[in-house]
Amino acid sequence: MRNLSDINGWKQSFGLFPMNIFPTKGNDKFLMLNGGSGDFCLQTSISDEEQDLFFGYSWSTNTKNYVVLDNDNVHIWNWLDKKTEIIDRKRVEESVNKFYKYLSSKSYRTESDVVPFIIALFRQLRNVTSNRESPSDALNLLFKLLVSIQVDYTSIDNSLWGIGEVQIPNQFDHFVGLIKEGVKSITPNLDLILRHSSGTLFQEAHREVIYFNPQRDLFGGVSSKLITKSDAYSSVHYTPQYLARAIVEQSLKHVNMERETLKILDPACGSSEFLIESLKQLKNLGFKGKVKVVGWDTSESAVSTSKFLLQYEKRTQWDCTDLDFEIKLVNDSLTEAWGTDYDLILMNPPFVSWELLKNKGDRDAIKQALGSFFNEGKPNLASAFFYKAVTSLNSDGVIGCVLPSSIFTFDSYSKLRNAVKEELTLNIIAKLGNFVFEDALTDVSFFIGKKPKSDAIPKFLWCKNEKGAVSDVLRDLRKMESNNEQAIEERNYSIYTPPKFPILPDNWKVISLKENKLIEVIERRVQSGLLTRTSEIFTVQQGIRQGKKEVFKITKDEYSNILEKNLFRPVVDNKAIKNGQLFDSNYIWYPYDSKGMIYKVENDLLEIDFFKTKIKPHESELKERAGIQEWWGHTRPRNWQFEKHIKLVSTEFGKSDSFAIDIQGDFVVERGHAWIPKKSFILDDYYFYLSCFSSSIFDSLLSIYSKPIISGYYLGKIYTKDIPIPDIHTEKVKESDGYRKLVEFGRELELGNTYVKQVIDEVLNIYFYPRS
């Protein structure tokens, strides 16, 4: 990058999003946005403005630095330092990377930034008023406070500003003085605050009105404590501004910009983050037509905020006649008549599980929205929003939305995915992971699609579950597209278009570019017969279900004091397996033999001490279990465990350290799985597969085919059935040196020699899983 004035150059070099600071006042002032970290203001020409205004511009846009270019120098105004630096322009252009790193180092967040500053005033204002019970009243006071930056709040027309009637407290003028003074005597700019900082500002304000603790501290001061409530972890997840920006940016690439009027919907609009962002970007793109935006929400405070922001946007940026908006408070967006004429639908729908929907009407609304396009199961509320949005687009409409990743991967949504694929061209499917929402660990994805349907393969964005990865991948997406690159592969994220879609049958799972290359190589080995599917070799059986596990299970120490040891067996649970070894850490009551339950009559148990002291006291609870036959037995004892036989076992969830061999067949699988051969095995075959499953290659395969959780992956048959593994029933596997070596390594693992894991991968790569 040799020209600092080239806005596209900043996008190509750093993936920055350039947004006009004053879209109606020229085209030389930009916000250079990078997901909140390293954002700055850039003015590409010198001006006659008072330079103190630059401090106000950067502070009000929630950045630190205002950079001005002239022919010879680069000027940096940093409001936090309250000073100006001048650097030779040629020197900067020769080392732009170093310059941007320097700007980023001076862009850290502080409590004096515009958002925390205003929120602190708002918090104090709430505490000295009586408006604690009414979120809408509290927000109307905040609107008045903000407007007072620009005009006399006592004489404003509330309807013109979209502000509801609210009683002004006696102390209000004090707060007006504080907000006008700003920080370090920096004059705040209302237009920039509402246009460029409102997303973060009003998300924080909504948290305040919902969770604020209206108590004073020990010394009579204002409390800053937020009350944590359980519903913070349910359905309300605020969309980060950088994510909303990227979804709108990618969606608008596919919108027909030649239309005279664009109609945009957000059926769960919140404070209209998506709607405001789309209006800003349309202005940025020079859209000349009219815009109609529609937003619905169940929150009165969110609707109030939306009306305030959209009214301001309409009056200041769209000459009133070019923007029309309809924001409505609804009981349930799903029961509204959506229509079928939207050019663009943007949304972050509520992520509410079926179990949390206690109202029958809510469940009926989901069923009606999905119709026949859901398999047996319990759909998430977001899936109903998704499908209804798809059917509400016009003939070339576009959808951009945040969704739970489960909609793309769970078998229960396969009909829904097929229905969507019949309606849309799939443009982007992005798996972002668990670090998107501040208040939830939901696995999040986003989706961009457009009518009509085509067979185009969507672009994949894949993120590792690490903080910071999402903003990085979105920045590099912008950078990649600006440079016409085809793929990016980093340690914690990938962007690419796969050679085929879907990668896995009936599944829209997004995997990394590295994993995709691995699959391509492995699938060729499957076609050649060297590898086969796990389901062709093993039947994966689920362990027993007790129904009341604290009654039947005991520790090894407790087992040593049991008299009737023949009625107990060591148990496979999460403590029993580590790196190929099997430990009898716990034992379980298992009164079964090869024919089933030993004790058919309760009287036969009366002389057994464990029954009298540990089981009998829980009789009433145990009898309440559904499907139970003998109440002193297990709910599901799994009759395949009645006879003892050798078996490969695993924990219920885990990875390559979660497999072992039960040589004698003594163990009962509880919170785990038994991998039962479909054809006859010799002992060496078990050791061979123990090595295969104990490899880091198998971890990679689990990451592709299975479902991740915090402790590893699901190891049940549904998620492992398609994993390619060597087929010991073929001569080229059974007679290979690789087979013999892996058998030897399996025996070493059983003895506790974990060092062999380092060479297992090498053998697998040489003989069975060639490197991509």
Side-chain angles (χ1 to χ4, degrees):
M1 179 179 173
R2 304 294 298 176
N3 182 4
L4 299 178
S5 300
D6 179 10
I7 297 304
N8 284 328
W10 289 96
K11 186 186 291 189
Q12 291 169 348
S13 297
F14 303 106
L16 302 179
F17 183 90
M19 175 72 72
N20 280 305
I21 296 179
F22 298 107
T24 62
K25 300 178 183 178
N27 199 34
D28 68 338
K29 297 180 178 67
F30 298 90
L31 257 180
M32 309 304 290
L33 299 167
N34 184 31
S37 175
D39 298 350
F40 68 97
C41 300
L42 176 66
Q43 183 171 310
T44 57
S45 61
I46 201 71
S47 68
D48 296 329
E49 292 178 281
E50 294 183 17
Q51 295 177 356
D52 278 351
L53 289 177
F54 297 157
F55 292 130
Y57 293 167
S58 58
W59 184 72
S60 299
T61 55
N62 209 28
T63 62
K64 289 292 185 305
N65 299 295
Y66 195 92
V67 178
V68 178
L69 308 176
D70 65 26
N71 291 333
D72 301 314
N73 296 303
V74 176
H75 306 257
I76 306 172
W77 277 266
N78 183 288
W79 69 258
L80 186 61
D81 296 339
K82 205 68 187 294
K83 68 178 184 180
T84 306
E85 294 179 76
I86 301 176
I87 308 174
D88 180 73
R89 178 165 178 164
K90 183 177 179 181
R91 181 180 158 205
V92 171
E93 290 181 335
E94 288 174 349
S95 54
V96 177
N97 287 351
K98 186 176 181 181
F99 174 72
Y100 183 60
K101 285 181 181 179
Y102 174 68
L103 280 183
S104 298
S105 71
K106 295 165 64 66
S107 299
Y108 53 87
R109 296 301 184 200
T110 73
E111 288 303 307
S112 294
D113 292 350
V114 63
V115 171
F117 172 80
I118 293 174
I119 290 298
L121 293 182
F122 181 48
R123 187 179 292 131
Q124 295 172 45
L125 179 60
R126 289 213 69 199
N127 241 342
V128 299
T129 66
S130 302
N131 295 304
R132 299 167 187 145
E133 292 75 29
S134 173
S136 292
D137 282 352
L139 286 171
N140 279 317
L141 277 181
L142 176 58
F143 303 154
K144 288 267 190 181
L145 183 63
L146 290 168
V147 170
S148 72
I149 294 172
Q150 189 177 93
V151 298
D152 181 357
Y153 73 89
T154 63
S155 60
I156 68 169
D157 181 345
N158 284 349
S159 61
L160 183 67
W161 287 84
I163 301 176
E165 293 296 332
V166 62
Q167 183 177 355
I168 303 297
N170 293 332
Q171 304 94 326
F172 195 68
D173 284 337
H174 168 70
F175 293 101
V176 170
L178 290 176
I179 198 169
K180 282 186 174 181
E181 184 179 344
V183 170
K184 297 188 175 186
S185 300
I186 294 171
T187 303
N189 185 298
L190 178 63
D191 182 57
L192 299 187
I193 291 171
L194 294 184
R195 186 164 177 78
H196 300 296
S197 301
S198 62
T200 306
L201 173 62
F202 285 108
Q203 286 181 6
E204 291 299 320
H206 285 150
R207 287 191 179 95
E208 288 295 323
V209 298
I210 296 173
Y211 303 119
F212 184 65
N213 179 13
Q215 303 296 323
R216 295 187 176 277
D217 62 24
L218 181 63
F219 304 102
V222 177
S223 169
S224 61
K225 181 180 178 182
L226 292 180
I227 302 171
T228 301
K229 294 186 178 181
S230 60
D231 55 353
Y233 297 91
S234 59
S235 64
V236 181
H237 307 311
Y238 297 113
T239 312
Q241 203 163 13
Y242 65 85
L243 178 56
R245 182 182 306 123
I247 290 175
V248 171
E249 179 186 6
Q250 292 298 324
S251 297
L252 288 178
K253 290 177 185 292
H254 305 285
V255 169
N256 180 1
M257 302 293 280
E258 301 302 317
R259 286 185 178 274
E260 292 184 2
T261 301
L262 287 179
K263 190 173 181 182
I264 306 172
L265 168 69
D266 184 345
C269 66
S271 56
S272 288
E273 178 75 12
F274 277 116
L275 297 177
I276 295 293
E277 185 63 36
S278 63
L279 292 172
K280 288 194 296 185
Q281 292 195 30
L282 284 170
K283 274 293 179 185
N284 225 40
L285 292 168
F287 178 68
K288 302 300 183 184
K290 299 179 183 297
V291 183
K292 168 71 180 287
V293 298
V294 178
W296 305 323
D297 205 276
T298 59
S299 164
E300 184 179 355
S301 58
V303 167
S304 297
T305 302
S306 293
K307 289 180 178 179
F308 172 69
L309 291 173
L310 286 165
Q311 184 67 26
Y312 188 80
E313 181 78 11
K314 177 177 181 176
R315 194 175 70 255
T316 61
Q317 305 297 328
W318 290 85
D319 299 326
C320 291
T321 58
D322 291 336
L323 173 62
D324 186 23
F325 66 86
E326 175 193 310
I327 302 298
K328 186 166 64 172
L329 181 67
V330 299
N331 290 323
D332 184 352
S333 293
L334 281 183
T335 60
E336 294 291 315
W338 288 33
T340 58
D341 61 343
Y342 292 101
D343 300 287
L344 177 60
I345 296 180
L346 301 161
M347 63 178 183
N348 175 8
F351 289 23
V352 185
S353 68
W354 182 267
E355 289 78 9
L356 290 177
L357 292 168
K358 305 301 181 184
N359 188 300
K360 182 179 181 296
D362 293 336
R363 293 184 173 185
D364 288 343
I366 292 178
K367 290 178 180 178
Q368 184 174 357
L370 291 175
S372 61
F373 297 120
F374 188 78
N375 303 10
E376 293 297 322
K378 300 175 180 179
N380 190 294
L381 179 59
S383 66
F385 272 79
F386 182 38
Y387 185 66
K388 192 157 187 175
V390 169
T391 59
S392 298
L393 295 170
N394 61 27
S395 59
D396 62 350
V398 177
I399 179 174
C401 58
V402 183
L403 292 170
S405 297
S406 58
I407 292 177
F408 296 145
T409 58
F410 281 17
D411 288 345
S412 53
Y413 295 107
S414 62
K415 288 183 180 178
L416 172 61
R417 290 192 293 270
N418 290 335
V420 170
K421 200 168 185 295
E422 288 301 309
E423 295 272 353
L424 300 179
T425 296
L426 312 183
N427 299 116
I428 294 180
I429 302 177
K431 180 199 175 298
L432 304 181
N434 301 124
F435 291 97
V436 175
F437 300 135
E438 291 183 7
D439 53 1
L441 291 177
T442 307
D443 195 293
V444 176
S445 291
F446 81 78
F447 173 87
I448 309 290
K450 174 183 171 58
K451 284 188 175 180
K453 169 195 173 182
S454 80
D455 293 327
I457 295 176
K459 184 175 293 179
F460 274 10
L461 273 70
W462 171 86
C463 274
K464 195 173 183 179
N465 285 330
E466 290 184 2
K467 287 186 177 180
V470 176
S471 57
D472 287 345
V473 76
L474 295 178
R475 178 203 64 220
D476 268 14
L477 172 62
R478 188 174 298 121
K479 180 178 174 182
M480 185 182 90
E481 291 181 341
S482 297
N483 290 293
N484 198 32
E485 296 175 286
Q486 298 306 302
I488 289 179
E489 172 75 4
E490 297 290 343
R491 181 190 63 82
N492 56 353
Y493 59 86
S494 301
I495 310 171
Y496 67 102
T497 301
K500 67 171 186 175
F501 178 82
I503 292 175
L504 304 179
D506 296 320
N507 193 313
W508 290 6
K509 185 171 185 176
V510 176
I511 62 177
S512 71
L513 178 57
K514 181 179 179 180
E515 290 169 332
N516 186 71
K517 290 177 179 178
L518 177 63
I519 281 189
E520 289 182 37
V521 174
I522 286 177
E523 287 298 328
R524 288 197 291 269
R525 289 295 178 104
V526 173
Q527 296 301 318
S528 72
L530 185 66
L531 301 177
T532 189
R533 307 295 177 187
T534 302
S535 58
E536 296 295 319
I537 303 295
F538 293 101
T539 297
V540 181
Q541 299 280 17
Q542 194 178 52
I544 67 171
R545 292 295 178 262
Q546 305 172 50
K548 191 71 177 173
K549 62 182 178 181
E550 63 269 23
V551 174
F552 300 115
K553 201 170 173 181
I554 60 176
T555 66
K556 186 176 182 178
D557 288 341
E558 290 173 317
Y559 173 75
S560 65
N561 297 318
I562 290 289
L563 297 176
E564 306 88 359
K565 288 185 169 56
N566 62 308
L567 298 178
F568 288 82
R569 285 168 64 178
V571 64
V572 174
D573 57 15
N574 289 327
K575 294 182 179 180
I577 300 173
K578 188 64 178 176
N579 286 322
Q581 288 189 287
L582 193 57
F583 302 95
D584 59 339
S585 302
N586 295 309
Y587 283 74
I588 197 163
W589 163 262
Y590 201 75
Y592 302 90
D593 60 17
S594 60
K595 296 179 181 179
M597 171 61 74
I598 298 172
Y599 302 98
K600 301 292 186 181
V601 181
E602 181 180 343
N603 286 341
D604 295 342
L605 292 158
L606 296 179
E607 300 302 316
I608 298 173
D609 185 64
F610 183 82
F611 174 79
K612 289 186 295 183
T613 60
K614 298 295 184 180
I615 298 179
K616 185 67 173 175
H618 296 279
E619 180 177 357
S620 60
E621 303 165 59
L622 293 171
K623 283 182 175 179
E624 291 177 357
R625 294 173 298 165
I628 192 69
Q629 294 182 10
E630 296 88 0
W631 67 264
W632 50 88
H634 298 296
T635 303
R636 294 182 180 86
R638 311 298 188 196
N639 57 9
W640 57 267
Q641 300 206 80
F642 291 165
E643 287 194 42
K644 297 181 180 182
H645 52 78
I646 183 174
K647 54 187 176 291
L648 186 68
V649 294
S650 72
T651 54
E652 192 169 20
F653 317 105
K655 45 188 179 179
S656 61
D657 60 356
S658 304
F659 291 83
I661 301 174
D662 178 14
I663 298 290
Q664 303 302 323
D666 291 331
F667 281 74
V668 169
V669 179
E670 182 215 11
R671 305 309 300 189
H673 298 95
W675 298 60
I676 309 299
K678 289 188 170 182
K679 298 179 182 178
S680 61
F681 263 31
I682 61 173
L683 182 58
D684 283 355
D685 296 339
Y686 288 97
Y687 285 117
F688 173 80
Y689 283 114
L690 177 60
S691 286
C692 293
F693 295 163
S694 299
S695 66
S696 62
I697 290 176
F698 194 71
D699 282 333
S700 297
L701 294 171
L702 285 170
S703 73
I704 296 169
Y705 290 91
S706 187
K707 178 185 176 184
I709 57 171
I710 293 175
S711 60
Y713 302 91
Y714 284 85
L715 298 179
K717 66 179 180 181
I718 293 177
Y719 296 102
T720 60
K721 61 184 175 64
D722 292 321
I723 294 179
I725 59 176
D727 185 355
I728 53 98
H729 301 301
T730 62
E731 286 187 15
K732 53 186 173 182
V733 172
K734 200 64 170 279
E735 301 301 321
S736 70
D737 287 338
Y739 173 86
R740 287 186 285 274
K741 289 178 180 180
L742 290 173
V743 168
E744 179 184 344
F745 294 149
R747 293 181 183 276
E748 290 292 316
L749 282 170
E750 188 183 51
L751 296 174
N753 181 4
T754 58
Y755 292 105
V756 298
K757 294 191 73 169
Q758 300 174 19
V759 292
I760 287 175
D761 279 345
E762 294 179 15
V763 174
L764 286 170
N765 280 141
I766 292 170
Y767 292 96
F768 307 113
Y769 296 104
R771 293 180 176 89
S772 60

